[in-house]
Amino acid sequence: MKYIPTIGLEAHVQLNLASKMFSSSSSLANQPVNENASFVDLALPGMLPLINEEAIIQAIMFGKWINANINEMLTFDRKHYFYPDLPKGYQITQDVNPIVFDGKFQLSTKEGIKETSIVRAHLEEDAGKSTHDLFEDKTAIDFNRAGCALLEIVTGPDFTNVEDAIEFGKQLFQTVHYLGICAGSMKDGAFRMDLNVSIAPENSDKLGSRVEIKNLNSFKNMQLALKYEIERQQKALGNNEDIVQETRLFDTKELVTKSMRKKEDAADYKYMNEPDLLDQKLPIHLLDLAVKRLPLSPKEKIDNISSSFTLDERQVNLLMQDLPLLDLLANVIKKSKDKKLVNHWVFTEYLARINKFNSSVATAPVNGNHLGELINLIETDKLSAPSAKEVLDYMWSNEFKRPTDVVKLLDLSQVTDSKIIEGEIIQVIKDNKDKHTQYLNGMNKLYGFFVGQVMAKFKGKANPVVVNKLLKDVIERKDL
Amino acid sequence: MIDKSILEIQKDLADKKYSYLELVNQQLALIRQSSTNSVIHIEDNIIEKVKEAEKNVNSEAFGMTILHKDNIAVKDQPLTCSSKMLQNFISPYNATLVQKLEDEGAICLGKTNLDEFGMGSSTSFTIHNRAKNPWDKTKTPGGSSGGSAAAIAEGLASVATGTDTGGSIRQPASFCGISGLKPTYGTVSRYGVVAYASSLDQAGPMAKHVSDVALAYNIIATKDSNDSKMAHAKDITQKILQDDIKGKTIGVAIEWIESLQNPHLKNYYKEAIKTYKELGAYVKNIQITNLEAALPCYYVISAAEAASNLARFDGMRYGYRSSKENKDIYKANRSESFGNEVKRRILLGNFVLSSGSENKYYQKARKVRALIQENYLSILKNVDAILAPATTGTAFEPGTQSVIEAYENDKFTVGVNLSGLPSLALPIGFDDGMPIGMQLIGKHMSDNLLLNLGHAFQKRTTWHKVSPVTL
């Protein structure tokens, strides 16, 4: 019998905020342990939550982007469970009134655009981070993440194959980065996925028992988990075993899914209206702000770029599929107007490094502003092309350094001052009188020798155009 | 000096009859002599704080000695909530209302006894010794703000703070013969007030004189960005208390008064009504329906929120830690440190929220709550305030009531909390040596009107000036 999988996805997106969802402590990642744990985050007695309005704005931006309904009410609920990294004994979330509901995500696939339904997207706070292997007999908890804002995005059970599900995950990741509402990577846990998988015989109108796989933190693992789980369920049904509704975890070492808890063991979350916050109408000024902050659509952005920049069809397709690359290009052309240079450095040099390190534009260590600045240095003759490559390589292995700083650091700035260059040329000719005489007597091929000597004097950092221009004149002088 | 209002004390201080420090020292001496277990902790570093306050003799609360209920955070002082769970917890910060009073020159003398986390009406559910009513020590001062009420009746401070979730300021005020305001929900910041039931909790001042209640209220009822449920930016504070109440309409909850078991009490309510007529108020009878619904509605909602609010007390980051380890640690920390009344409400709260029951209880109670509020608001369209008993009788002996009987005590007070309304309790007489109290219930944000009504009443009567002989 042929089985068809049905897959639904949930993404937990850490929003791009300076402070937490309900407290003013910093939400910066990679801080010293428990540095960002305030009295509110630690749930001291008498503490109250305060809504971070920027989180509301970013959630609405996502909702508007996928043409979803934006909830007229702004309310929160408490979801209860006991765990040491959940300080209040409940998580503040949106159960009754998700801020975003009923949206459509345009998924581009090889077979064309497929519309995926976004059932809801709601705001909630993250838990702290438990580490079980730091101490022999204790669990260590870092509360820096506790209270950070998450947007949980839930799709309908719309995927019938693994490829589309993975592609959705990738495109959703790109979208939240394109919107600027997520700045982190999957590796750092800023974008985590849960998978809901069931299988049913082809042409059956009933869905099979649903299995949830929690907390996937890479698309590779997501793919492996889905493939494994579908095969596991097929095998089980083939052996006339029942699939039980349960929650499973993907073991990243053994590459298998393992049962975490059965449905009957699931916690009763005892949802309750959050009485510490006002049930209110969504403030209209937040809606306005969100709409104002929406970026142009990729199509509009490409049209804008095309008005001053020639893109071929291959490049347009590439940009449509890789929104962070589109953003990068838009930022680059703000800094540099030289089409040929931009074309070469973005589509050749930059993408070559993306491929070489098997990374993506969204998570690459060099952003559009910095790449643009680098190209600008070449354009204004402050940096030679070979030196620029060296700078880019350095930037790639040292995150978010400005090119001008790297140029200084590596001592690569280009000499363009004609007085200085002319002085060195004269010196080189004087030092090589015999060769100069041979040149003047018609031995033209010696010209290259002089170029090399001059460049060597500048350790390769002299502007070759200026060197050429000056040398051509000076070398003809018979008085030297 | 213990019967003087703060305005009188301020005049004495200005005339240099005594210094602020002398006043404070005398109050501290009284606190040390007291045998009602009303004050459970005396504040450290008081002398420095008096010196600090003396730098600004014109601040509004200059000369105000104050005690804070021990579920309100005072920096570097214990915050036990009368629970073994927080027995050793020291607050690292000030509640907003504590800070505001301190900024205006009030001197905090210490913390007062309460029922654990505010749950109870006798101040006997406490890890400290049970508080006693200074009028008769065999009786309860009421609760949960019983320590504050008893301390004020004894004259240990000018003002004490209480919290009122279902009557916890008004019932003890009535039992101890003092005045106390349960403010409009959202006018006093809850920041630093340990939550029992967040949608019902409101802190407020208690004092002998309504004028002192008013002075304290108008300091604490100012905006605080730390509590997002504070009424939106509306400043309702009033600088000068009025005693002209001519033309105000008072609706009498006549059926509540008639329902009282003790016939002597009814006469005092009739006297109080007469006093208001003499003061020029219009008086008419009104009917408050759905009284029966208020109690169950209150106990469902308050228990649900209590179960949730107390979930943070797991002994992991602070609080009581059992010697048991590993898997049982949560259960052990909580079972060994919460008292029976708190456990009862946590269980009840979890039950009404549990999957399958929430529509029958919690969600239904939320709907009933809206109806109760609607009813109060429709009555208050036609009157400026409702005059009603605050309690079903005078103070009782602790331990003589069943759990259900104890819950029944709250039947006249919980409707106010469910509706978010303000209510002022004040003394109107004595029965068999024990104080009788009434409550005035007003529209949202009419706290100062209630205070004016109470102040006018106290200009005509002396019930609030009678003190128990305790020492």
Side-chain angles (χ1 to χ4, degrees):
Chain A
M1 192 184 308
K2 196 181 174 199
Y3 292 103
I4 303 292
T6 300
I7 302 166
L9 302 174
E10 288 171 30
H12 292 85
V13 179
Q14 209 170 72
L15 292 175
N16 185 10
L17 302 169
S19 61
K20 295 185 178 179
M21 184 67 228
F22 298 108
S23 83
S24 55
S25 29
S26 163
S27 59
L28 272 183
N30 305 321
Q31 296 292 293
V33 169
N34 288 316
E35 182 90 356
N36 299 339
S38 67
F39 293 167
V40 174
D41 307 325
L42 293 171
L44 255 54
M47 285 296 138
L48 296 171
L50 292 172
I51 296 173
N52 183 340
E53 293 197 338
E54 175 63 20
I56 310 284
I57 293 172
Q58 295 187 6
I60 299 172
M61 285 172 69
F62 176 73
K64 286 283 174 191
W65 191 255
I66 57 163
N67 283 316
N69 290 314
I70 308 298
N71 210 311
E72 286 175 19
M73 290 299 294
L74 181 62
T75 70
F76 290 88
D77 303 282
R78 292 180 180 180
K79 174 181 176 178
H80 300 88
Y81 62 92
F82 284 115
Y83 204 76
D85 59 22
L86 186 73
K88 293 189 292 291
Y90 56 82
Q91 175 195 37
I92 306 179
T93 178
Q94 294 186 306
D95 181 45
V96 177
N97 288 312
I99 185 156
V100 169
F101 60 98
D102 289 348
K104 298 268 182 256
F105 189 93
Q106 308 298 327
L107 180 68
S108 4
T109 70
K110 284 184 194 112
E111 299 104 65
I113 299 283
K114 288 186 186 170
E115 212 171 61
T116 304
S117 63
I118 303 293
V119 180
R120 57 185 282 155
H122 64 259
L123 287 163
E124 61 185 28
E125 54 178 345
D126 211 341
K129 203 169 175 182
S130 296
T131 311
H132 302 288
D133 50 8
L134 202 57
F135 302 106
E136 197 183 325
D137 56 346
K138 289 184 174 70
T139 292
I141 304 174
D142 180 2
F143 289 104
N144 281 352
R145 203 180 67 183
C148 285
L150 296 176
L151 184 67
E152 181 175 333
I153 300 165
V154 183
T155 75
D158 291 0
F159 308 100
T160 50
N161 64 66
V162 176
E163 292 67 37
D164 283 357
I166 304 296
E167 199 47 47
F168 172 84
K170 286 181 179 170
Q171 289 181 25
L172 180 67
F173 180 80
Q174 285 189 3
T175 299
V176 292
H177 276 264
Y178 184 78
L179 291 172
I181 65 174
C182 178
S185 67
M186 283 189 92
K187 184 169 58 71
D188 296 333
F191 187 95
R192 316 192 283 268
M193 300 218 74
D194 296 345
L195 324 168
N196 287 299
V197 193
S198 68
I199 61 167
E202 201 176 13
N203 300 325
S204 159
D205 51 3
K206 265 185 23 199
L207 291 179
S209 293
R210 183 169 61 97
V211 168
E212 186 178 18
I213 309 167
K214 280 218 167 288
N215 249 335
L216 279 301
N217 62 359
S218 78
F219 295 120
K220 183 81 201 146
N221 284 340
M222 189 173 152
Q223 187 182 29
L224 291 170
L226 279 174
K227 281 199 167 141
Y228 176 86
E229 183 58 24
I230 290 166
E231 274 170 32
R232 185 189 73 84
Q233 293 187 16
Q234 278 173 351
K235 217 179 274 171
L237 288 187
N239 294 338
N240 276 331
E241 291 165 24
D242 283 339
I243 306 289
V244 277
Q245 190 176 335
E246 63 179 344
T247 302
R248 297 175 77 86
L249 280 179
F250 182 65
D251 186 317
T252 52
K253 289 202 182 83
E254 295 176 39
L255 307 182
V256 299
T257 65
K258 288 180 173 171
S259 181
M260 187 168 105
R261 57 169 181 258
K262 306 277 184 231
K263 186 199 173 200
E264 55 270 26
D265 301 328
D268 177 357
Y269 293 127
K270 303 188 181 83
Y271 284 101
M272 184 184 94
N273 175 259
E274 167 54 283
D276 280 336
L277 295 169
L278 203 63
D279 288 348
Q280 58 184 318
K281 284 243 169 76
L282 183 73
I284 224 70
H285 73 278
L286 298 183
L287 197 67
D288 293 345
L289 279 171
V291 172
K292 275 196 198 118
R293 282 198 6 213
L294 281 178
L296 296 174
S297 73
K299 175 97 184 33
E300 289 168 313
K301 231 179 222 183
I302 287 172
D303 287 348
N304 271 0
I305 292 172
S306 302
S307 67
S308 63
F309 198 88
T310 325
L311 290 166
D312 62 33
E313 202 188 319
R314 187 189 62 89
Q315 287 172 329
V316 169
N317 285 339
L318 193 60
L319 292 170
M320 281 301 281
Q321 270 168 36
D322 193 342
L323 297 180
L325 180 65
L326 174 56
D327 260 344
L328 179 116
L329 179 62
N331 283 328
V332 165
I333 61 173
K334 278 183 207 151
K335 307 261 175 185
S336 173
K337 302 290 171 223
D338 188 315
K339 290 167 200 172
K340 218 173 127 192
L341 279 177
V342 169
N343 217 320
H344 176 74
W345 283 88
V346 172
F347 290 99
T348 306
E349 296 293 342
Y350 188 85
L351 286 186
R353 283 164 178 80
I354 292 283
N355 290 334
K356 182 176 159 197
F357 295 103
N358 201 12
S359 74
S360 69
V361 177
T363 56
V366 177
N367 63 29
N369 284 331
H370 290 169
L371 184 62
E373 279 174 26
L374 181 69
I375 298 168
N376 185 266
L377 291 176
I378 309 166
E379 189 183 339
T380 54
D381 293 334
K382 294 194 180 91
L383 196 64
S384 68
S387 298
K389 283 184 191 173
E390 216 176 305
V391 171
L392 187 56
D393 286 334
Y394 183 89
M395 286 160 72
W396 213 272
S397 48
N398 297 272
E399 280 194 24
F400 305 118
K401 280 242 165 29
R402 294 192 57 161
T404 43
D405 295 338
V406 177
V407 167
K408 261 187 223 137
L409 200 74
L410 302 181
D411 192 22
L412 291 172
S413 50
Q414 180 164 286
V415 180
T416 49
D417 189 316
S418 24
K419 282 240 162 62
I420 297 172
I421 294 175
E422 190 172 357
E424 287 295 338
I425 290 173
I426 292 169
Q427 193 57 48
V428 166
I429 291 175
K430 280 182 176 166
D431 290 349
N432 297 282
K433 271 208 150 46
D434 47 340
K435 288 211 167 65
H436 185 227
T437 313
Q438 290 173 353
Y439 173 83
L440 289 175
N441 290 335
M443 210 165 166
N444 285 345
K445 65 176 184 182
L446 277 173
Y447 183 82
F449 165 79
F450 283 98
V451 172
Q453 287 293 306
V454 173
M455 291 303 281
K457 285 260 180 194
F458 289 98
K459 298 197 180 87
K461 287 182 289 179
N463 184 321
V465 179
V466 180
V467 170
N468 251 317
K469 189 167 150 265
L470 293 172
L471 186 61
K472 267 184 196 151
D473 290 342
V474 179
I475 203 165
E476 301 300 333
R477 281 166 58 181
K478 297 189 171 104
D479 58 322
L480 289 172
Chain B
M1 158 179 357
I2 59 173
D3 291 336
K4 285 185 177 172
S5 73
I6 294 165
L7 285 179
E8 290 167 318
I9 289 172
Q10 284 176 342
K11 194 167 176 301
D12 288 351
L13 290 170
D15 295 345
K16 302 215 162 21
K17 284 193 186 163
Y18 44 83
S19 71
Y20 203 172
L21 192 60
E22 284 168 334
L23 169 74
V24 165
N25 280 331
Q26 185 189 324
Q27 297 304 131
L28 289 173
L30 290 175
I31 290 171
R32 291 196 178 96
Q33 288 165 42
S34 164
S35 60
T36 57
N37 304 321
S38 53
V39 177
I40 52 175
H41 171 76
I42 295 176
E43 163 116 16
D44 318 313
N45 307 323
I46 293 185
I47 294 171
E48 286 85 58
K49 293 218 164 150
V50 174
K51 279 186 191 148
E52 190 61 37
E54 277 174 332
K55 286 181 189 158
N56 193 354
V57 295
N58 294 319
S59 44
E60 280 181 56
F62 189 71
M64 181 192 288
T65 49
I66 192 160
L67 291 160
H68 290 297
K69 188 177 179 180
D70 201 28
N71 60 351
I72 297 174
V74 179
K75 191 169 193 287
D76 300 330
Q77 303 301 311
L79 180 61
T80 70
C81 298
S82 286
S83 180
K84 192 171 174 183
M85 175 54 88
L86 294 180
Q87 198 163 16
N88 298 313
F89 185 79
I90 306 290
S91 173
Y93 73 102
N94 270 334
T96 299
L97 72 94
V98 169
Q99 189 64 51
K100 288 189 179 204
L101 287 162
E102 190 181 307
D103 290 348
E104 286 299 330
I107 295 296
C108 171
L109 304 178
K111 308 294 293 281
T112 61
N113 208 347
L114 68 151
D115 286 302
E116 190 176 359
F117 289 108
M119 300 177 200
S121 46
S122 60
T123 315
S124 49
F125 303 138
T126 165
I127 40 153
H128 313 290
N129 291 318
R130 79 162 182 89
K132 296 170 183 171
N133 193 313
W135 295 94
D136 176 350
K137 290 188 188 129
T138 65
K139 300 215 162 117
T140 170
S144 64
S145 312
S148 291
I152 292 301
E154 284 179 277
L156 305 186
S158 283
V159 175
T161 52
T163 56
D164 192 319
T165 305
S168 280
I169 286 175
R170 291 160 290 155
Q171 182 251 25
S174 299
F175 280 5
C176 292
I178 64 156
S179 315
L181 177 70
K182 184 264 149 184
T184 300
Y185 186 86
T187 61
V188 177
S189 171
R190 291 176 300 123
Y191 182 83
V193 179
V194 181
Y196 157 17
S198 315
S199 74
L200 302 161
D201 293 343
Q202 195 66 174
M206 305 165 83
K208 290 195 175 204
H209 303 267
V210 167
S211 61
D212 291 350
V213 173
L215 179 63
Y217 175 70
N218 282 293
I219 291 168
I220 61 178
T222 46
K223 263 202 97 172
D224 175 25
S225 56
N226 283 320
D227 181 352
S228 62
K229 277 183 105 177
M230 284 197 76
H232 284 290
K234 206 195 254 170
D235 183 9
I236 56 156
T237 55
Q238 160 184 297
K239 286 285 171 232
I240 296 158
L241 202 54
Q242 312 283 322
D243 57 13
D244 181 5
I245 58 155
K246 278 195 198 76
K248 298 294 176 202
T249 308
I250 292 175
V252 176
I254 190 69
E255 282 164 307
W256 289 14
I257 295 171
E258 293 299 334
S259 74
L260 297 172
Q261 303 277 315
N262 182 341
H264 295 121
L265 303 190
K266 295 179 197 171
N267 293 330
Y268 285 97
Y269 286 100
K270 281 176 190 152
E271 278 301 312
I273 293 161
K274 213 172 117 200
T275 303
Y276 274 115
K277 281 183 182 158
E278 288 163 11
L279 286 164
Y282 299 116
V283 174
K284 63 179 185 182
N285 289 340
I286 52 106
Q287 231 187 341
I288 306 175
T289 51
N290 50 42
L291 179 65
E292 306 74 26
L295 263 186
C297 175
Y298 168 78
Y299 274 98
V300 168
I301 287 173
S302 65
E305 292 184 13
S308 174
N309 283 327
L310 267 58
R312 71 183 56 198
F313 302 116
D314 54 14
M316 293 293 165
R317 301 165 310 290
Y318 56 83
Y320 177 82
R321 189 74 177 236
S322 166
S323 56
K324 290 212 180 69
E325 274 303 334
N326 66 54
K327 264 177 71 179
D328 296 324
I329 191 79
Y330 267 85
K331 214 200 272 180
N333 288 346
R334 290 165 65 81
S335 305
E336 291 170 21
S337 68
F338 287 142
N340 282 341
E341 185 58 32
V342 168
K343 283 180 189 164
R344 183 178 292 123
R345 298 195 196 195
I346 289 175
L347 289 174
L348 179 60
N350 276 301
F351 171 70
V352 300
L353 286 175
S354 58
S355 169
S357 299
E358 83 275 29
N359 287 328
K360 217 153 83 191
Y361 300 106
Y362 176 66
Q363 297 301 351
K364 195 172 189 181
R366 274 165 58 86
K367 286 176 194 149
V368 172
R369 178 181 188 169
L371 296 175
I372 290 170
Q373 184 181 44
E374 219 171 88
N375 185 36
Y376 271 100
L377 293 183
S378 77
I379 294 167
L380 285 163
K381 264 187 202 146
N382 303 313
V383 298
D384 292 304
I386 297 168
L387 186 158
T391 58
T392 52
T394 56
F396 53 88
E397 283 178 32
T400 56
Q401 290 186 320
S402 72
V403 173
I404 298 296
E405 278 168 342
Y407 288 3
E408 280 273 322
N409 292 335
D410 300 335
K411 71 176 182 186
F412 295 140
T413 47
V414 295
V416 162
N417 301 80
L418 290 168
S419 311
L421 299 171
S423 172
L424 175 70
L426 65 165
I428 58 165
F430 285 87
D431 177 58
D432 204 12
M434 296 309 289
I436 306 165
M438 68 167 174
Q439 60 174 333
L440 298 168
I441 303 166
K443 301 177 177 73
H444 291 125
M445 315 302 273
S446 73
D447 305 62
N448 273 304
L449 171 64
L450 297 182
L451 292 166
N452 292 343
L453 289 170
H455 182 53
F457 186 85
Q458 291 191 336
K459 281 203 136 181
R460 276 279 175 133
T461 58
T462 53
W463 302 116
H464 61 292
K465 289 186 176 163
V466 189
S467 288
V469 182
T470 54
L471 306 174

